[in-house]
Structure formats: C-alpha cells, structure tokens
Amino acid sequence: MLLIECPWCGERAETEFSYGGEAGIVRPAEPDALSDAEWADYLFNRTNPRGAHRELWNHAQGCRRWFGVERDTVSYKISGSFKLPSGGEA
Amino acid sequence: MSEQRTQVSIVPDTGFINLRGDSQDADFLNAAEAATGQRLPVKANTVSEGELRVYWLGPDEWLLVCPAEKVADVISQLNEKLSGLHVAVNDISGGNTSMHLSGESVRALFSKGCTLDFHPKVFKAGDCAQSGLAKASVLIGLIEGGTTFELIVRRSFAGYMLKWLRHAGREYGIEFT
C-alpha cells in the first residue's frame, strides 16, 4: 500500500486515489496542423522512465482534486506531491 | 463503571447543500458568511458548527448540513447574497443520508473499515474527512464538542452501511435507535 500525499488532505492510503498517467502532457493548440504521427505521439507515446516519474493522481475518495506526484517507478518511493499549474483552488 | 454503548441513529429529514466557490476570493467568503451566518471553513478537513454544519470538501467546495425544512431558506439566501459571483449552489438532500454515532467504541469500529487514523490525538473535535468505509465513499466528521461522529453516505449506500455497522459493531454491543 502506497501512502500518497494529497496537497490538501495530507497523507492518505493509495485506495483513496486513482491514477491519471504521466504529468505534463500538453494538448497541442492546433491539432489540425499536426501530422498523424505527431497526433499519435501526443495521444499514445509516453516516456515510461525507469526511475523518477512525474505523474497525475486524483484524490477520488477524498477531496476529488487532481495533483501531481513524483514517484520512482523502480522502488515506488514517492519523493513529493505538487499542485498543478491550474492550481485546482477554484 | 458504566461503559457507554455504541449507538447509531439515522438523522431523518436532513438537508444537504453543496456549495462551490473560490476560497481565495474574499468577496465570496464574506457573501457566504452573510448568507449562512457563519464563516466557511477554509482549513482542509474541518467542519464548522453553527446554525448549519459546514463541511470542507475541497479547496473550492463545501457541504452545508441542516434540517430539511430549512434548505429552501438557506438556498434562497445563498442565491441572493452570492448573485453575480462565480459559484454553484445545489440541493443534494435527496442523495445523502446522515447517521450519528456515539459511544466509546466508534473510533475502533471505524478503524475496522477505514484507512484513516482515528486516534483521539489525530482525529479531533471539529475535524472531518472524506474517505472509504468498508469500500463505501463516506464523509466523517467529529461534531458536538467531540461527542458525536456524523457519518454521511450516499442514500443508496445507507442500507449497506447499516448492515456493515451492525456486523462490525456486534463486538461493541452496537445499538440502533
């Protein structure tokens, strides 16, 4: 069981959260201008690193906010949580 | 020594109002206070008690709990005072059930089905938390000076929750009133 720190609620059990994949994927501003390969890269290709990974989590059974977590994909050790640039405050 | 038995009661005719707005906006907080007569709790996972019980649900979301017959008044006050602001006020009374639990063993009982720490040094009067209890999503608050736990579940989960409480609470001599 992972202990994940929600930026608002503090450390909670992993069962309260749902996983949202890699953090920092920005939707292209003009999808029509992209080639199929570039669009597929945005949709499907992820870095899948061995080691430090910045990823999205949602505190689904708690405050229901999205936030970011930095987790080591080998040891599962979580080194910290961060609010997303949109803040999630409002 | 009289051990206080664990008691559970469903609070009938409870009204629930979901309020959303920007907690960074002083105008919003002041207007909400003018409408409800009490300050919205901005500290995470706390509940403020006055005419209403106001639970912190998120950085921009609160749950207002009051007797069902007051809901219409509270909503019209909120709509009046908050007009022009970017907010949402919703009556969700039909979707929730409130239970009050008291007695010495409530903390131990909750601990059987929930990952939160219910030690008295950690979960204090005025604290609340949303979590899972026996896999049901719940809101738990410690109210009335720390004597009563309020357990709020979705209405459709109430029957299941009561069955679980009856089973898990048997060793504590749980009573339903």
Side-chain angles (χ1 to χ4, degrees):
Chain A
M1 173 85 72
L2 296 175
L3 268 183
I4 299 173
E5 187 187 350
C6 167
W8 293 278
C9 302
E11 284 191 334
R12 295 287 185 91
E14 179 186 353
T15 48
E16 292 189 8
F17 297 87
S18 66
Y19 180 63
E22 184 176 340
I25 308 279
V26 180
R27 184 184 166 87
E30 288 187 66
D32 291 344
L34 298 184
S35 68
D36 285 354
E38 286 168 328
W39 182 246
D41 187 53
Y42 157 69
L43 284 183
F44 303 116
N45 294 333
R46 299 294 179 258
T47 56
N48 191 27
R50 180 181 166 82
H53 187 225
R54 286 165 73 83
E55 55 200 19
L56 298 171
W57 285 84
N58 180 263
H59 194 186
Q61 262 190 340
C63 63
R64 296 182 298 286
R65 292 319 111 138
W66 285 97
F67 61 99
V69 169
E70 190 167 308
R71 180 179 63 93
D72 187 299
T73 58
V74 179
S75 66
Y76 278 44
K77 186 172 171 20
I78 290 171
S79 53
S81 300
F82 53 94
K83 292 181 184 177
L84 301 177
S86 61
E89 292 285 353
Chain B
M1 292 291 287
S2 64
E3 186 182 324
Q4 195 200 350
R5 300 192 75 181
T6 303
Q7 297 215 327
V8 182
S9 58
I10 288 190
V11 188
D13 301 321
T14 304
F16 302 89
I17 301 160
N18 186 277
L19 170 64
R20 301 200 64 170
D22 183 358
S23 63
Q24 310 283 320
D25 179 358
D27 287 345
F28 164 71
L29 292 176
N30 292 335
E33 185 175 5
T36 62
Q38 56 196 103
R39 201 78 186 158
L40 297 179
V42 291
K43 187 177 174 222
N45 295 303
T46 57
V47 50
S48 91
E49 290 175 86
E51 289 274 299
L52 314 162
R53 289 188 296 286
V54 184
Y55 286 90
W56 181 97
L57 295 183
D60 59 3
E61 187 174 7
W62 294 266
L63 180 69
L64 280 49
V65 182
C66 64
E69 73 259 19
K70 285 177 122 184
V71 168
D73 277 352
V74 175
I75 287 181
S76 74
Q77 276 293 314
L78 285 167
N79 283 336
E80 186 190 321
K81 299 286 198 301
L82 297 172
S83 72
L85 295 168
H86 183 62
V87 298
V89 178
N90 287 295
D91 180 359
I92 53 170
S93 303
N96 294 277
T97 297
S98 165
M99 304 175 196
H100 283 190
L101 294 89
S102 60
E104 288 172 352
S105 305
V106 181
R107 291 172 189 268
L109 172 58
F110 282 159
S111 297
K112 290 172 81 168
C114 182
T115 55
L116 293 175
D117 187 349
F118 285 103
H119 191 281
K121 283 182 180 165
V122 180
F123 206 107
K124 303 193 200 81
D127 285 351
C128 71
Q130 298 163 93
S131 186
L133 180 61
K135 297 192 178 176
S137 293
V138 295
L139 169 62
I140 294 171
L142 184 51
I143 58 172
E144 293 171 4
T147 58
T148 304
F149 279 95
E150 178 161 44
L151 171 65
I152 295 171
V153 293
R154 301 304 290 263
R155 183 194 55 77
S156 56
F157 276 79
Y160 161 74
M161 201 78 259
L162 284 170
K163 278 183 183 165
W164 183 83
L165 287 170
R166 176 170 288 124
H167 187 256
R170 193 176 294 164
E171 65 174 299
Y172 307 117
I174 197 166
E175 289 174 343
F176 293 83
T177 53

